[in-house]
Amino acid sequence: MAKGKVLVIGSNATRIELQGGGWAPTGQYLNETVVPAMALIEAGYDVVLATPDGTKPHIDELSDSAGHFGGDETALAQARAFWAENPAMNAVRTLHEVIADGLDGYAGLFFPGGHAPAVDLMQDAEVGTILRHFHERAKPTALLCHGPIAVAAAMPHAREFRAALVAGDAGKAAEWAKGWQYAGYRMTVFSASEEKIVEDNVLHARLYFYMPDALHIAGGEVVTGTIDFEPHVIVDRELITGQNPRSDHPIAKALVEALDRARATA
């Protein structure tokens, strides 16, 4: 019998807007999705994947590389096979269905990264409903790389908050963020210096806002690592955040440990 169920919330975004007009292709990162999911299953938890529209998330092509698996081609092949074939990765539910069926049966929550959550999940009302449920019950809530920006969805005016960020109006964004459940939490997210490397070498354009700035404006105590692309995970109460793709294994370990602790004290 499984120890419990963990809800994995994926994005349906396939592109992100850029300054000056235009869009860049985006999606979820393969390793950030499958490494934690595989670790959860290995630890005895069932995984349920859900997205806003119930379709399987798009994997960012840049993440389909052995470089994100320590250069291990075998690990990459295993990840591809898991994503393509594992039942948990293919029985995708809508967020609406998950909420309607009841959230009490879930022991924990996980959001993978890639730029995609900064497009749809951070302003999705149903994501907000789910986050508030887990926050109120102090259930382990883990988010990786760009994934931590999704916690903005818990605020009362998440859509307006994002619009203010895109408009470059930090003051207005801070006003819309009032009442945010995660204000004062220590957290990490893909850093501005890491983002600039991506902008210069991959996007060849600028994003409208950086993730640490957005979470800081909202009231988060954002702490990023001193060395770009080195693993960095922060745990504050029920919230577990990882900074970048290489934080995939450490955040998986931290989430499993938090779930096991919660189960032992239930």
Side-chain angles (χ1 to χ4, degrees):
M1 179 178 290
K3 292 180 179 178
K5 291 191 301 182
V6 177
L7 179 61
V8 176
I9 297 185
S11 169
N12 290 130
T14 58
R15 61 179 191 165
I16 188 168
E17 64 268 57
L18 302 171
Q19 289 191 37
W23 300 76
T26 193
Q28 287 184 191
Y29 261 44
L30 179 63
N31 67 302
E32 295 175 20
T33 305
V34 305
V35 167
M38 292 169 73
L40 288 164
I41 292 171
E42 177 68 21
Y45 291 91
D46 287 337
V47 168
V48 176
L49 176 61
T51 64
D53 70 13
T55 61
K56 195 171 181 178
H58 173 71
I59 294 295
D60 191 319
E61 293 180 2
L62 293 173
S63 70
D64 189 9
S65 164
H68 290 292
F69 295 86
D72 187 338
E73 292 287 351
T74 299
L76 171 61
Q78 290 172 341
R80 286 172 173 166
F82 179 85
W83 179 247
E85 301 166 10
N86 188 275
M89 297 295 97
N90 290 282
V92 188
R93 310 198 69 200
T94 67
L95 299 180
H96 180 77
E97 289 170 340
V98 168
I99 293 167
D101 286 350
L103 297 170
D104 288 335
Y106 291 94
L109 180 61
F110 175 66
F111 291 78
H115 284 103
V119 180
D120 59 353
L121 300 186
M122 72 173 291
Q123 59 178 335
D124 188 283
E126 290 174 328
V127 171
T129 296
I130 293 167
L131 283 167
R132 289 189 294 272
H133 173 94
F134 280 80
H135 170 72
E136 290 163 5
R137 292 157 181 80
K139 291 183 178 181
T141 301
L143 311 95
L144 178 57
C145 198
H146 289 80
I149 196 63
V151 292
M155 63 182 60
H157 299 282
R159 187 171 295 274
E160 292 87 349
F161 173 74
R162 187 181 190 278
L165 293 173
V166 171
D169 192 337
K172 181 62 72 174
E175 289 181 23
W176 287 123
K178 288 179 179 176
W180 189 43
Q181 291 78 359
Y182 298 98
Y185 274 67
R186 293 181 71 253
M187 60 187 70
T188 193
V189 70
F190 200 66
S191 72
S193 55
E194 290 167 332
E195 198 74 82
K196 287 174 183 174
I197 293 171
V198 173
E199 288 177 328
D200 290 343
N201 296 283
V202 177
L203 301 177
H204 305 292
R206 300 296 177 199
L207 297 175
Y208 276 100
F209 59 90
Y210 291 152
M211 308 304 119
D213 295 341
L215 292 174
H216 176 73
I217 289 167
E221 186 182 332
V222 183
V223 181
T224 53
T226 56
I227 303 175
D228 288 343
F229 300 105
E230 283 298 303
H232 184 223
V233 172
I234 290 179
V235 180
D236 186 354
R237 287 159 278 185
E238 84 278 9
L239 191 67
I240 306 164
T241 49
Q243 179 172 323
N244 48 37
R246 289 192 61 200
S247 303
D248 53 358
H249 287 281
I251 201 171
K253 182 175 183 289
L255 176 56
V256 169
E257 289 175 349
L259 290 165
D260 285 347
R261 282 196 304 270
R263 186 168 180 267
T265 57

